[in-house]
Amino acid sequence: MGGQLAAQPRAVPAGLGEGGRRTPRRAGPGRGRPDTRVVFVHRSRREGGCGEDSAGALQHRFASDARTCLFGTRSFWQGVDVPGSACQLVVLDRIPFAHVEDPLLKARLAAAGDRGFMDVTLPPAAVLLAQGAGRLIRSTTDRGVVVVLDPRLSTAGYASVLHQTLPGFYLARDKSRVIASLRAIDSQAAPLAPAGPPPAERRRLARAESR
């Protein structure tokens, strides 16, 4: 899994996650193909994204066209599988902590007392962060960059817990290193693997075969 890099900005750097449409254009150099998946924790942060098509249809479009950027909310943090050069850059807007107004979470935090954050809040966020980063790595030959736009991954006292759950990336905080890595990865990228028919067509063919 050589060539995998995780960028952890101390603050959101220009062009790497300022939000909306600028992110993939600046963060995906090389042959004019962004190959980018941007995953947001909350829907309100995804304004300017790619619409409300089904997850399967969006995934198919993303895998079929190297110029496509996929913007998604929480459901895209897991269960999305696009191996190969179709995905070279995954941008995570923040550490995916659960919503603090969740009644069940509130009850568990109250029961845990002083250990509430470390024992209740942090573990599921760490697992989900690893799952989000894992959207990049779908096979042993996949290469690319994961950008986390949350400075707490570098500065918070609990950051080491999050790092332990992530794959074996090498880390960079300098934008020029991130861009250089993306260019090198893209220059060696294999052609896109065939994505097959879109989901609606696959369902139609399956119904026809069952008759």
Side-chain angles (χ1 to χ4, degrees):
M1 298 183 189
Q4 297 158 1
L5 180 145
Q8 299 172 220
R10 287 188 172 85
V12 177
L16 280 181
E18 293 177 341
R21 301 176 188 275
R22 290 188 61 197
T23 306
R25 176 163 56 87
R26 293 286 188 89
R31 297 190 302 196
R33 43 181 288 177
D35 304 316
T36 304
R37 177 175 297 145
V38 185
V39 188
F40 299 91
V41 173
H42 299 298
R43 181 177 297 273
S44 61
R45 299 176 66 89
R46 195 215 56 186
E47 294 179 2
C50 53
E52 301 296 334
D53 290 347
S54 71
L58 290 173
Q59 179 176 328
H60 183 270
R61 288 167 56 192
F62 180 72
S64 302
D65 186 349
R67 298 168 298 174
T68 299
C69 298
L70 177 59
F71 290 74
T73 50
R74 204 172 190 88
S75 63
F76 282 84
W77 282 76
Q78 53 194 150
V80 178
D81 187 15
V82 183
S85 63
C87 183
Q88 296 177 358
L89 173 63
V90 172
V91 181
L92 307 176
D93 73 323
R94 60 187 299 181
I95 299 168
F97 290 114
H99 199 285
V100 294
E101 297 302 319
D102 181 348
L104 179 58
L105 178 61
K106 280 185 172 181
R108 294 181 62 199
L109 287 171
D114 293 341
R115 293 288 303 174
F117 178 79
M118 295 300 294
D119 292 349
V120 177
T121 304
L122 186 58
V127 171
L128 194 54
L129 180 67
Q131 291 174 330
R135 298 313 93 200
L136 177 71
I137 308 165
R138 310 312 302 161
S139 75
T140 57
T141 59
D142 285 351
R143 303 172 71 239
V145 172
V146 174
V147 176
V148 181
L149 302 177
D150 193 329
R152 293 175 294 181
L153 193 58
S154 296
T155 61
Y158 53 81
S160 61
V161 177
L162 300 173
H163 283 279
Q164 291 170 9
T165 68
L166 292 171
F169 298 112
Y170 69 90
L171 304 178
R173 297 184 178 91
D174 182 81
K175 188 175 72 171
S176 62
R177 286 189 61 196
V178 176
I179 298 298
S181 293
L182 280 168
R183 291 191 187 280
I185 290 166
D186 191 63
S187 68
Q188 302 171 33
L192 290 185
E201 180 65 13
R202 289 200 298 268
R203 290 192 294 269
R204 187 189 67 79
L205 292 173
R207 289 194 299 267
E209 291 175 358
S210 64
R211 292 174 181 171

